[in-house]
Amino acid sequence: MSLKTLTVPARAFLQCVNRGVISPKHRHVCPVGLGRGPSRLYYETAKPVDPSLAGASSVRTVDLRSDTVTKPGAAMRQAMAEAEVGDDVFGEDPTVNELQKMAAEVFGMEAALYVPSGTMANLIAVMVHCRERGDEMIVGDLSHLHIYEQGGSAQLAGVHSTTVTNLPDGTFDLDQLESKIRHGYPDAHYPRSRLVCVEDTHNIQGGRVLPLPFLQEVKALADRYGLAVHMDGARIMNAAIAQKVAPSTILQNTHTVSVCLSKGLGAPVGTMLAGPQDFISRAVRCRKALGGGLRQAGILAAAGKLALGDMINRLEEDHRHARTFAQALLECDPPLYEVDMAAVETNILRFRLRDTSLTPTEFCALMAGVGEGEQAAMGQGVRVLMFPHIGGSVRAVWHLGISLEDTQLAIQKLQFVARQHYQQRLRA
């Protein structure tokens, strides 16, 4: 079974969770502690089996839970400490202004706005594009905006969502997209279609990169019907590196974009929202209403400048490490793991366990603990933190905090866990 088959069980899982019922048939895709709703699919904190191991000098931790766990290095901390600041709500913080100008140039957009988080940036984009309460946006059914952002577009902006089916590569069928566009406005029975949202790279589908021809067709379709295209580009830099193109080449197929600085780019806080000048002018008002107007934000923006200026090219290292780990999964003896190498495009990896008697939750607990005989076999204990993910998969994410040595240690640990599991099966 390849990862291309994950889409149906993923949706079945979401449907069961949303109804509050997980059938025995889907028991293995509902990890303990993850049944509170789809927002917990990978945000559950991984913990060691024995908390006392966390500080042991002979134990090494490799944190593959998310690229959000990155920490600013010495150069970034120095830049933050020395940042020239002012009142950004007044538009007087020079470092924020420099970052916004820099981001607009990198993205090929007229203007950009520094926002505290990606969730806020996406919500602001929805609020600006969908100008009236009751307007409608079209989103992928497995998109971050639809699954992981608490329905903020409806809760706070009064914007209705309709979904198209995300395919395994993160795209969706254009005929289905066209069928979801409303044509009855101003008929009082229907919302008004305003916005199409895409996600690049696609988180739930394993860091998949949206093909440029797909984005071109989405933009052409949206233009034909007078709709805007917003990209949740939290990891757009990973996409640009994978496709070997400038970010602006990708973004010429969208009207607006949100780009996270605090994932693979390593800044501690912040997202850039970019688009036309009139869009950004209205976005400033929405940011203020949502509590996102910061004062001496240059301390944070200084880290963002370093992230955009110095941290993009190194993302290829994360991609390479993810592929190295994926190849080791395939080559592991005894064979316990399944992965679709063609789907390993960036820094996010999803894989399955061949033996369904070992659930993703149990596997992640074994990887996060230090097993009996592990230190003797490996020379040290290694805690590898990963998340059980949807569709009965396991998710691992590479970032600047994970070196090649860390990756090799994680490979040794997965091989150790496979051997231990195989021996236990034989004894049983």
Side-chain angles (χ1 to χ4, degrees), residues 1-11 26 28-29 325 329-330 335-340 349-356 358-360 363 389-395:
M1 181 182 294
S2 75
L3 284 183
K4 294 179 180 179
T5 63
L6 286 175
T7 302
V8 172
R11 289 189 179 83
H26 292 106
H28 69 286
V29 302
F325 187 87
L329 290 170
L330 287 180
L336 180 60
Y337 312 105
E338 291 181 346
V339 63
D340 178 5
L349 171 65
R350 290 177 64 193
F351 61 94
R352 283 181 173 273
L353 305 172
R354 291 175 180 266
D355 186 350
T356 56
L358 180 64
T359 69
F363 171 77
H389 203 48
I390 66 173
S393 65
V394 177
R395 176 184 189 259

Side-chain angles (χ1 to χ4, degrees), residues 310-389:
D310 297 350
M311 305 300 285
I312 297 173
N313 289 334
R314 64 148 304 280
L315 294 174
E316 170 55 31
E317 180 180 326
D318 299 337
H319 300 180
R320 187 167 59 251
H321 292 165
R323 289 192 296 270
T324 297
F325 187 87
Q327 189 63 43
L329 290 170
L330 287 180
E331 297 172 356
C332 182
D333 186 19
L336 180 60
Y337 312 105
E338 291 181 346
V339 63
D340 178 5
M341 288 298 295
V344 186
E345 296 180 320
T346 56
N347 65 320
I348 301 178
L349 171 65
R350 290 177 64 193
F351 61 94
R352 283 181 173 273
L353 305 172
R354 291 175 180 266
D355 186 350
T356 56
S357 69
L358 180 64
T359 69
T361 300
E362 293 165 344
F363 171 77
C364 288
L366 292 173
M367 291 293 287
V370 176
E372 182 179 351
E374 179 177 328
Q375 297 194 37
M378 296 176 54
Q380 64 178 319
V382 178
R383 299 174 59 240
V384 181
L385 307 184
M386 295 182 285
F387 279 124
H389 203 48

Side-chain angles (χ1 to χ4, degrees), residues 187-206:
D187 188 307
H189 295 87
Y190 307 110
R192 182 178 185 178
S193 297
R194 288 279 199 181
L195 177 65
V196 178
C197 296
V198 294
E199 182 178 336
D200 196 11
T201 64
H202 199 282
N203 184 346
I204 283 184
Q205 298 294 34

Side-chain angles (χ1 to χ4, degrees), residues 13 17 22 26-36 360-361 388-389 392:
F13 174 80
V17 170
I22 301 296
H26 292 106
R27 179 189 63 82
H28 69 286
V29 302
C30 184
V32 174
L34 299 188
R36 292 187 291 276
T361 300
H389 203 48

Side-chain angles (χ1 to χ4, degrees), residues 6-78:
L6 286 175
T7 302
V8 172
R11 289 189 179 83
F13 174 80
L14 290 174
Q15 291 166 1
C16 291
V17 170
N18 289 336
R19 290 196 297 265
V21 176
I22 301 296
S23 69
K25 175 182 176 182
H26 292 106
R27 179 189 63 82
H28 69 286
V29 302
C30 184
V32 174
L34 299 188
R36 292 187 291 276
S39 63
R40 303 301 294 178
L41 294 180
Y42 68 85
Y43 288 110
E44 188 71 31
T45 302
K47 298 180 177 65
V49 174
D50 180 357
S52 66
L53 294 172
S57 59
S58 60
V59 175
R60 177 83 163 262
T61 298
V62 180
D63 194 341
L64 301 178
R65 291 174 298 169
S66 175
D67 46 8
T68 61
V69 303
T70 56
K71 299 176 181 178
M76 189 172 283
R77 288 176 181 270
Q78 182 177 356

